[in-house]
Amino acid sequence: MKPGLILGALLLAITLQAVAPAVKAAEDQEEIANPDLKCLKCHSKNLSKKLEDGDKMSLHIDGAAFASSVHNEIGCTGCHQDVPNVKHPSRQPIATLRAYSVARNEICSECHETQHEDYKQSIHANLVGQGNVNAPVCSDCHGAHSIQSRKGSEPVNGEPCSNCHEDIHQAYAKSVHGRARTEGNLIRNKAIRAPFCSDCHQAHRILALADTEYLVPICIDCHEGARLAHEQWLPNAAMHMKSVGCAVCHAPQAELRVNLQLYDRVLGVPVKQTLSDAEVQKILGEVDTDGNGLDPLELWKLMLNVDTRAQSTNIRLRGRLEVSSRVDAHRLAASTEAIRSCENCHQDNAEAFQNVTVSINRPDGRKETYKADRKVLSSPISVDSVGSFYAPGGTRIKAFDVLLVLALVFGPAIPLGHWAWGRYLRKKNNRS
Amino acid sequence: MTTPDATHAATGLPQARAYLHPLPVRIWHWLNALGFIALILTGIQLRYVDLFKLMSFETAVHVHNWIGFAVIANWFLWFFYHLASAEITNYHPDLDVKAFFARFFRQAQFYAYGMFVGEKRPHNVQPGNKFNPMQKLTYQFIMFIAVPVTFLSGLMMWDVERFKFLISAVGGIRVVNTVHVIMFIMFVAFIFVHAYMGMLGPRPSTHYKEMFTGYEEPHE
């Protein structure tokens, strides 16, 4: 080796030796100012962790996306508080990606307590608790590291709800609400925004709609004149608004059904299922022996069974006319297109009364439904068991049609018979 | 003791006609008749809009409700007038049940046979006792049970929310409707029989005239 080259190398080494601490010091200063950079030093790389189920969890974080997220302010340790206190990288095994997401869900509640409390009451949290792997945790809707403020956002594409409820979003998008939202986002006096998902269903306390009653007040919240408007023309308006869901008339293409829900008439609340699904199916199987849905006699027997189990007659069936499908319930039309003809329901064989179900609320608020024969709405046997649902004309009891015919026949026949009898007696008397 | 008829016959004076139906009773009766016919027609329309359409269901509901209120008001007119006058004696129950039913069957026998063979009428019509036993039992049932039950069940169906506790107490809206419909069917049959029975006086027009003028028509 030439002496010149050796000297050059030595000089470079001495220079690097002298500069390196300065560079490290500068980096340390930067990391002290922004500790996330320390995390990103590793997590910006394509790291991954092997999970117990054999899957891999990506440990890659998009630094730029995180920097622009609302959580940039609290930094990585805002949520990953445990990292500085334990050996990192941790060797703790993680069962599945889902298990990790569910476990991390609790962290959000530390700052977002109200939202988390609401979420805990929701059907989403309920399903998570039941082990449903498709039910969303916080990060499923909000993302994990690129969380953006939802204030002022305009989710015309339905996200994040449409990620799971795409079919419902498609129906909503074509509805009067969806169209108003996309075609200018303003309705009526141009001061009210057309609603999207969370306006009706709430953002975090999303309830199952077994008790759809709660949606009527929400509709009225915006349509404040609706109650009065209905009272002006609709006979028994208050009863209709209680027993008929808004979408029944305002989603005119929707398929309808009558749901007979087990209801505690003293407490005024739907009955919650306390038996297991298998036990409920066993009871129904014993009653509906032919398995083709509950006929009037079978429904009457079922209610006897309910009375015996409850040791009271407080639990009755509460009938409500509602839209059969969740998708159809979102196809709301303009009020000018709503059904206004009473004959739609109040006549024999009305389409509205062709589908009948009997339901009980599961503990999470969802309905457990069982098919019933439509005859349960018009049979004299159901006078007691379906006591709370009646639509004049539409669910009339056919046996009384026979009685009316008899009255129309025998009403005039009795006088005619009496007159003829008198005529006969007079003639006979005259002859004798 | 001589009867009024015998007295008039003896003196040669024209027979004094009994005033059987005071004006308020006649007004009530004919309004009630018209009201019931209208209620039956609109009721049939409500129940069978799929079979024929004299008017829309919505119109039938409104007409049925308004006439229903008029008939209820009319019943109260009848009720308070009877309470405030001697007319209520026509509805007094007979305490001697055995004797009452003996006369009841005698009256039935008269309608079934006697009237066609010239038998004397078993019941002597007088103000305060104008109903024969069959009429009395029928009208007691109609006026004190059937009509109130019909208008109460009708009221409950007129505003289900307003009367929800009452409806729940009697077993639900289907029970209420069933009672209302049974009453409706009974009234349909009653109207035919009632109109015919009105013709069973000495002449077919006798009782009808009495119901317009209030005075008893000459029986011979």
Side-chain angles (χ1 to χ4, degrees):
Chain A
M1 187 179 280
K2 289 181 180 174
L5 273 176
I6 294 168
L7 186 64
L10 271 172
L11 278 172
L12 182 63
I14 291 164
T15 310
L16 285 174
Q17 198 73 8
V19 171
V23 171
K24 190 173 184 310
E27 281 179 356
D28 286 349
Q29 282 298 316
E30 206 174 343
E31 281 174 10
I32 288 165
N34 184 1
D36 296 343
L37 289 178
K38 193 172 181 180
C39 306
L40 285 170
K41 198 183 268 180
C42 296
H43 285 283
S44 60
K45 296 172 186 165
N46 282 328
L47 298 176
S48 64
K49 183 179 171 86
K50 194 162 185 201
L51 305 173
E52 283 188 324
D53 65 350
D55 208 354
K56 272 186 179 176
M57 178 166 83
S58 169
L59 301 176
H60 170 74
I61 305 296
D62 182 339
F66 180 71
S68 65
S69 84
V70 288
H71 280 174
N72 182 43
E73 209 176 299
I74 58 168
C76 303
T77 52
C79 296
H80 299 278
Q81 295 151 358
D82 52 331
V83 171
N85 306 325
V86 294
K87 192 181 170 205
H88 193 77
S90 165
R91 299 288 173 214
Q92 283 287 319
I94 296 172
T96 62
L97 191 57
R98 174 70 179 176
Y100 182 75
S101 300
V102 172
R104 300 303 300 174
N105 212 31
E106 287 304 311
I107 298 291
C108 308
S109 68
E110 288 184 13
C111 296
H112 304 286
E113 196 182 346
T114 314
Q115 288 87 341
H116 200 74
E117 279 305 310
D118 283 346
Y119 168 77
K120 279 198 318 200
Q121 293 175 49
S122 74
I123 180 63
H124 287 159
N126 241 307
L127 292 173
V128 169
Q130 290 171 35
N132 185 322
V133 292
N134 296 318
V137 293
C138 305
S139 57
D140 288 316
C141 297
H142 295 281
H145 296 101
S146 54
I147 299 168
Q148 299 299 320
S149 168
R150 291 235 171 262
K151 280 179 191 162
S153 68
E154 185 56 51
V156 284
N157 60 358
E159 283 181 359
C161 310
S162 62
N163 291 341
C164 296
H165 305 286
E166 174 59 20
D167 50 354
I168 290 177
H169 175 70
Q170 289 299 329
Y172 160 81
K174 289 173 191 159
S175 75
V176 64
H177 289 152
R179 279 183 281 122
R181 191 89 190 180
T182 49
E183 291 166 10
N185 202 18
L186 297 167
I187 54 173
R188 287 194 280 166
N189 59 7
K190 300 197 171 180
I192 304 167
R193 295 196 314 167
F196 59 93
C197 312
S198 60
D199 288 320
C200 300
H201 297 280
Q202 303 187 56
H204 296 98
R205 197 168 173 266
I206 300 162
L207 300 179
L209 295 184
D211 193 1
T212 51
E213 230 166 39
Y214 94 89
L215 267 187
V216 175
I218 287 172
C219 299
I220 300 283
D221 266 357
C222 290
H223 301 277
E224 67 278 348
R227 210 176 280 280
L228 190 64
H230 283 86
E231 279 168 3
Q232 281 172 351
W233 74 273
L234 180 64
N236 256 315
M239 182 275 298
H240 275 103
M241 293 182 91
K242 205 171 166 185
S243 306
V244 181
C246 300
V248 167
C249 302
H250 290 275
Q253 307 302 324
E255 191 182 319
L256 307 178
R257 72 171 173 195
V258 174
N259 183 47
L260 303 168
Q261 181 186 43
L262 279 168
Y263 189 81
D264 191 318
R265 63 178 173 182
V266 175
L267 299 176
V269 290
V271 173
K272 292 266 185 197
Q273 181 181 321
T274 51
L275 303 174
S276 69
D277 288 356
E279 285 172 304
V280 171
Q281 287 305 320
K282 185 170 173 270
I283 293 168
L284 286 166
E286 282 167 6
V287 176
D288 181 19
T289 45
D290 45 15
N292 63 350
L294 297 161
D295 66 27
L297 190 61
E298 289 164 348
L299 185 61
W300 178 72
K301 283 182 189 165
L302 177 70
M303 292 312 292
L304 278 186
N305 191 312
V306 169
D307 290 348
T308 311
R309 281 174 182 277
Q311 294 186 327
S312 83
T313 54
N314 293 345
I315 298 174
R316 307 313 312 154
L317 289 168
R318 182 178 69 158
R320 285 175 58 80
L321 183 58
E322 57 190 31
V323 170
S324 301
S325 114
R326 290 178 303 170
V327 175
D328 278 354
H330 292 83
R331 297 190 206 279
L332 295 167
S335 59
T336 49
E337 295 166 36
I339 294 170
R340 214 197 126 133
S341 162
C342 305
E343 286 84 350
N344 221 50
C345 292
H346 291 279
Q347 62 171 308
D348 192 27
N349 278 325
E351 227 177 292
F353 306 124
Q354 299 303 308
N355 299 319
V356 184
T357 53
V358 176
S359 78
I360 183 167
N361 277 17
R362 288 161 168 269
D364 61 21
R366 286 181 303 157
K367 276 178 200 158
E368 178 69 30
T369 58
Y370 200 77
K371 193 168 168 39
D373 190 316
R374 67 187 176 92
K375 284 185 190 134
V376 299
L377 299 180
S378 56
S379 165
I381 300 169
S382 312
V383 167
D384 179 47
S385 47
V386 192
S388 72
F389 189 84
Y390 182 75
T395 64
R396 67 175 187 254
I397 296 171
K398 299 291 168 58
F400 293 134
D401 295 353
V402 178
L403 272 184
L404 181 63
V405 170
L406 289 177
L408 287 168
V409 171
F410 284 101
I414 289 169
L416 274 172
H418 188 256
W419 172 80
W421 169 244
R423 205 175 148 82
Y424 164 76
L425 281 180
R426 280 197 194 98
K427 273 188 181 171
K428 191 181 161 195
N429 202 33
N430 287 342
R431 277 202 299 270
S432 64
Chain B
M1 190 179 159
T2 52
T3 64
D5 287 356
T7 308
H8 286 289
T11 56
L13 293 169
Q15 185 178 332
R17 293 199 297 163
Y19 190 46
L20 293 177
H21 309 299
L23 184 63
V25 173
R26 283 177 280 145
I27 291 173
W28 160 78
H29 176 268
W30 290 114
L31 285 179
N32 203 47
L34 290 174
F36 263 79
I37 290 166
L39 285 173
I40 285 169
L41 291 176
T42 50
I44 290 175
Q45 179 65 98
L46 288 174
R47 200 170 160 80
Y48 301 103
V49 75
D50 47 303
L51 297 183
F52 66 96
K53 202 162 180 181
L54 292 175
M55 60 188 92
S56 73
F57 184 91
E58 191 184 333
T59 308
V61 171
H62 292 303
V63 174
H64 195 79
N65 286 347
W66 281 111
I67 296 173
F69 281 120
V71 168
I72 292 170
N74 200 31
W75 183 87
F76 279 101
L77 172 82
W78 171 90
F79 183 68
F80 288 117
Y81 177 75
H82 277 71
L83 282 187
S85 70
E87 279 296 297
I88 194 67
T89 53
N90 290 303
Y91 291 87
H92 280 174
D94 290 68
L95 299 176
D96 186 346
V97 177
K98 203 175 162 187
F100 175 78
F101 278 102
R103 283 187 286 116
F104 182 96
F105 288 113
R106 203 156 53 240
Q107 187 67 41
Q109 196 183 26
F110 172 76
Y111 282 136
Y113 183 79
M115 64 179 286
F116 301 120
V117 293
E119 281 184 9
K120 190 175 179 296
R121 290 177 180 272
H123 180 74
N124 184 24
V125 176
Q126 290 167 6
N129 185 25
K130 61 187 178 189
F131 299 139
N132 68 46
M134 286 182 80
Q135 287 173 318
K136 186 180 264 191
L137 200 62
T138 304
Y139 296 145
Q140 281 170 342
F141 171 74
I142 295 282
M143 294 312 296
F144 293 106
I145 297 174
V147 172
V149 164
T150 309
F151 75 61
L152 280 174
S153 54
L155 269 179
M156 288 188 230
M157 287 193 292
W158 161 68
D159 194 337
V160 173
E161 269 304 288
R162 191 185 298 260
F163 295 102
K164 62 183 173 188
F165 294 111
L166 198 54
I167 291 169
S168 179
V170 298
I173 190 66
R174 190 169 283 267
V175 173
V176 174
N177 179 266
T178 298
V179 170
H180 197 74
V181 169
I182 288 173
M183 289 297 157
F184 146 73
I185 293 169
M186 190 202 70
F187 280 120
V188 168
F190 172 79
I191 278 202
F192 287 109
V193 177
H194 183 66
Y196 173 71
M197 298 290 272
M199 296 178 192
L200 298 185
R203 282 183 299 278
S205 62
T206 302
H207 294 324
Y208 281 89
K209 281 183 183 169
E210 288 171 350
M211 212 57 230
F212 278 109
T213 64
Y215 286 96
E216 183 188 17
E217 286 289 298
H219 283 194
E220 301 303 331

